[in-house]
Every structure is written in structure tokens, then in C-alpha cells.
Amino acid sequence: MKKYLSIALLGLFIAGCHKTPPQPLGNGDVSKVIGQMADVMIHDVTNPPLASRFFAYTCLAGYEVLSQNDKQVKSMHGVLNDYPAIASPKQISGYNSQLSAILAMYETAGKLQPSGSLMLKNEGTFLDSCRKIGFSDEMIDSSKSYAKFISKKILAYAKADGYRKINNYPRYKLKHTPGSWDLTPPAYMLPVEPYFNTVRPFTLDSAAQFVPDPPIPFSTYKNSTFYKFLQLSYTKSGDGLKQEEKDIANFWDCNPFAVQNDGHMLIGLKKISPGAHWMGITNIACKQTKASFSKAIEVNTVVAIGLTDAFICCWDDKYRTNRIRPETAIRQYIDPHWKPLLQTPPFPEYISGHSVVSSASAVILTHYFGDNFKYTDNVEIGYGIPPRHFSSFTQAAKEAAISRFWGGIHFMDAIDNGIIQGNKVGNRVLDKLKQKGA
């Protein structure tokens, strides 16, 4: 009897020693967190600049975990402005670095986003799936402790970027001068993030590092350059659009503030931000190339950093130039009944935000995946937007830029100069990473 009992105990011991390790996580797990963040942003009607900030800090939390555990992933200390040197928590053991990275992202998004409780609920569902692929409760607990430690450090870094101070700034006042921006229908919303240029950038020396050429001077003189721009928008972005041009404009709309009239009510339409769209493209590329978990974290982080710096640059120009939107100018000086194809977003016209952030993202993604990367963009298929095919990220960025002219919400100089500014921001991000070998 004792003999058989000893053999049984020995078998249990051997089985314990040869316990199957958990299955590794992949780029799909990274993509899932980003997609869930985008869903919460739609729920919260998160504005585009703020959305980029949420993505950046959330991705940085996951990146920091990997930089402490993967020699191929370099620290952002000395690369990003004021980024701290974060020591690894030596007291925590038995964790899985991939799991900790994902949990650090959930923890950070859960604290940053207004409806962060939804992200923490998603985290619980994710952990249930982890148990099914071999993660023990002990490993999950240790990984979560590590994640919370890192998330706390990243949240402290985020808190110091100046965004919270914006609430204490005076309310933005409309100038009501000829050629200046004014509220637009149908909701006549107040200006979005007029002080976003005061937020600490990640790689830029300042928000004004890449100031573009000034916009064409406002004029109602019919032979002036501005009036010719006005006429061009009036004739080429309204009823004169071809179906393909309408399709492209609608594909890149990405306006979280879009509303429609329903009797005496205004109903909000569910749309993602430009940044969320490009984060989606990032994960399409990661999936298509079967990128490793670490590369997926890295690329998402760098794109999110580029998006934030692009918005900081762009918003600095918007509220400094304070230029009138085509919709307002055309109604005042040409046709009081004219409507653009797309709803005009609630902030000044110059410079085109989609042109800047799309170009910056394309530069970064081209660096990681090459010049002629063919892909199908189905990011918004869940919102009734059919997919489009692209031969490169640059082609997509140029299409996103011109879509703003066809949509009737930007003049051409805002688009052309936006592309130039975005290219500069994207290259700046990459140059900073190269300087420190990150």
C-alpha cells in the first residue's frame, strides 16, 4: 500500500515539475485593448486630441513593462521629454511580462478614460481568457501587481504634462472679426481644446517647433487668392462632387461630434476619431505581418506618440491663426444656403488636423513596414463604412488629407501645409528614437 502511495505522490510531483507553461500572447491581444479603448472613446465622445493622449500613455505603460524585461526594447528614458527612469519592482516575482504589459495598458486606460470602469470590466474578461490558456491565478496576481506598479508611474508622468491645468484657463472667446472662426451648425458647439498646445509634447521642443507657412490672407475682394479658394470650395466640394470623392470624404470623416437633426432634438452619431482610425490601421499592419507581441506594443506606442505631438502642433496653429471655416465664409459671401458634405468640426480651420496626423502616422508606419505596404482598411466597417484598399500608408494619408477638401471643411492651403507639418512631426519622432537607439 505504501509503495503504491509513494508512486502516486511521485507522479504528482513529476506532473507538477512538468506543468505546461501558458500560451504566449500575441499582437491580437494588443489590438484588442486599442479597439476597446476606441469603443469607450465613442461612448464618452472623446475629442481627437485627448484621444491621442489616452492612446499614448496607455501604450507607454505596456511598453515600459517590456523595456524592463526585453533587451530588444529600449527605455524611453532620455528619449521622451521628462520621461522618468523607472526602476523595476524587484519585490515582485512570478509574473509574465507579456501579461503584465497588457494589464498595465488596461490599468492605465481604466484610470485615464472617463468611463474607465468599462476598460476594467474588459480586463476581467481578458483575465478569464488567460486562465483558459494556462495562466495560473498566482501568475495573474503577480503580473497584475507589476502592471499596477508601472501604471502608477506612467499616470504620474501623464499628470505632469499640463493637461489638467487647462480647466483653470479662461474660457475661449470668439473674436468676431472678419475672417475669424465662428461656431458652425447644426449644434454650434463651443471650441474644442483651445489650450491643447500647452500640453507637454513627447518629442517636440515646443508646440511651435514646426510652424507652417501662414494661411492665405482673408479677403472678400473677388480677385484675391482667398476668394478664389472660397469659390473653389463652393464649386468643388458641394454638388459638383463625383461619387468616388463623396465615398472618400465619408470614409475619412472621423468626426466624434457629428450630429443629426431629429425634430427638436440633435442626435449624436457614433464615429471614431482620426487617431483611433490610424491606431486601427497600425494593428491591421501588425496582424498582416504577423508582428511579434513586442513589435506590436512598440509600433502602437510610437504611432500614438506621433499622433499626440501632431495634434499639439496642429492645435497650436488652429487657435493662433483662428481662420474661418469654408461653411461660414461661403454662407456669408456667396450662398447662404450652402452646406458641406461633412459636418464642420468645432474648431478653427487652419491647419487641417487630419492632414497633419495622417501624414505623421504614415511616416512612422512606413518606417516599420516599408514604402509599398498594401492593405485593406476595414477599421470602421462596424459603423457601416465599407473597406478601402491602399498601396501604401502615404497614399492613405494623402487621401485622408484631400478628403477634407471634398468634404467641404477645409481650404486647400490648410491641407497642403498640413501634410508638410505632419511629415516633419513623424520624422521628428523617428529621429528622437534613433538618437537613443530606441
Side-chain angles (χ1 to χ4, degrees), residues 278 362 366 370-375 389-397:
W278 278 98
T366 298
D371 287 319
N372 300 306
F373 188 87
K374 297 179 176 62
Y375 69 97
H389 308 287
F390 297 97
S391 59
S392 70
F393 301 113
T394 302
Q395 181 208 0

Side-chain angles (χ1 to χ4, degrees), residues 64 124 210 249 368 379 393:
E64 178 61 31
F210 299 121
Y368 282 105
V379 172
F393 301 113

Side-chain angles (χ1 to χ4, degrees), residues 65-245:
V65 172
L66 292 187
S67 73
Q68 295 185 2
N69 293 276
D70 185 341
K71 293 181 180 179
Q72 301 301 314
V73 182
K74 306 299 181 183
S75 171
M76 288 295 182
H77 176 60
V79 177
L80 305 183
N81 296 331
D82 301 332
Y83 192 85
I86 302 175
S88 60
K90 302 297 184 183
Q91 72 277 15
I92 300 175
S93 60
Y95 60 87
N96 177 281
S97 60
Q98 290 184 337
L99 179 56
S100 289
I102 293 294
L103 293 179
M105 293 175 71
Y106 273 121
E107 291 292 322
T108 305
K111 295 293 194 301
L112 283 173
Q113 296 187 257
S115 296
S117 59
L118 297 175
M119 288 303 296
L120 298 179
K121 183 178 179 180
N122 289 330
E123 179 187 47
T125 302
F126 168 71
L127 288 176
D128 288 340
S129 68
C130 287
R131 293 183 179 93
K132 294 178 182 179
I133 60 172
F135 284 92
S136 67
D137 287 336
E138 293 79 11
M139 181 175 285
I140 288 173
D141 289 342
S142 295
S143 300
K144 192 163 186 175
S145 294
Y146 196 126
K148 287 186 173 182
F149 176 87
I150 296 299
S151 178
K152 186 176 181 180
K153 299 292 184 180
I154 297 299
L155 289 168
Y157 177 56
K159 187 177 180 179
D161 73 358
Y163 183 78
R164 293 192 176 192
K165 296 179 181 178
I166 288 176
N167 289 332
N168 298 323
Y169 293 159
R171 186 172 180 175
Y172 184 83
K173 294 182 179 179
L174 298 174
K175 293 182 171 55
H176 297 298
T177 56
S180 65
W181 177 75
D182 204 349
L183 309 184
T184 50
Y188 296 94
M189 294 183 183
L190 295 175
V192 169
E193 300 290 7
Y195 300 109
F196 200 72
N197 65 334
T198 65
V199 175
R200 176 194 60 210
F202 287 108
T203 66
L204 306 175
D205 293 334
S206 73
Q209 183 168 353
F210 299 121
V211 174
D213 291 340
I216 299 299
F218 173 78
S219 174
T220 57
Y221 179 55
K222 292 190 176 182
N223 286 329
S224 67
T225 302
F226 181 83
Y227 201 88
K228 290 176 181 177
F229 269 59
L230 196 60
Q231 283 283 0
L232 188 65
S233 291
Y234 178 58
T235 58
K236 297 294 186 181
S237 61
D239 294 336
L241 286 173
K242 300 175 183 177
Q243 187 59 49
E244 174 70 1
E245 293 167 342

Side-chain angles (χ1 to χ4, degrees), residues 48-57 161 196 199-202 204 301-315 357 360-361 425 429:
L50 185 57
S52 70
R53 179 177 177 268
F54 288 162
F55 281 130
Y57 288 117
D161 73 358
F196 200 72
V199 175
R200 176 194 60 210
F202 287 108
L204 306 175
T301 302
V302 178
V303 170
I305 287 169
L307 285 168
T308 307
D309 280 1
F311 273 114
I312 290 172
C313 263
C314 176
W315 252 240
V357 301
S361 299
V425 172
V429 172

Side-chain angles (χ1 to χ4, degrees), residues 290-308:
K290 299 180 181 179
S292 68
F293 181 87
S294 294
K295 183 173 181 179
I297 290 279
E298 178 183 349
V299 179
N300 274 277
T301 302
V302 178
V303 170
I305 287 169
L307 285 168
T308 307

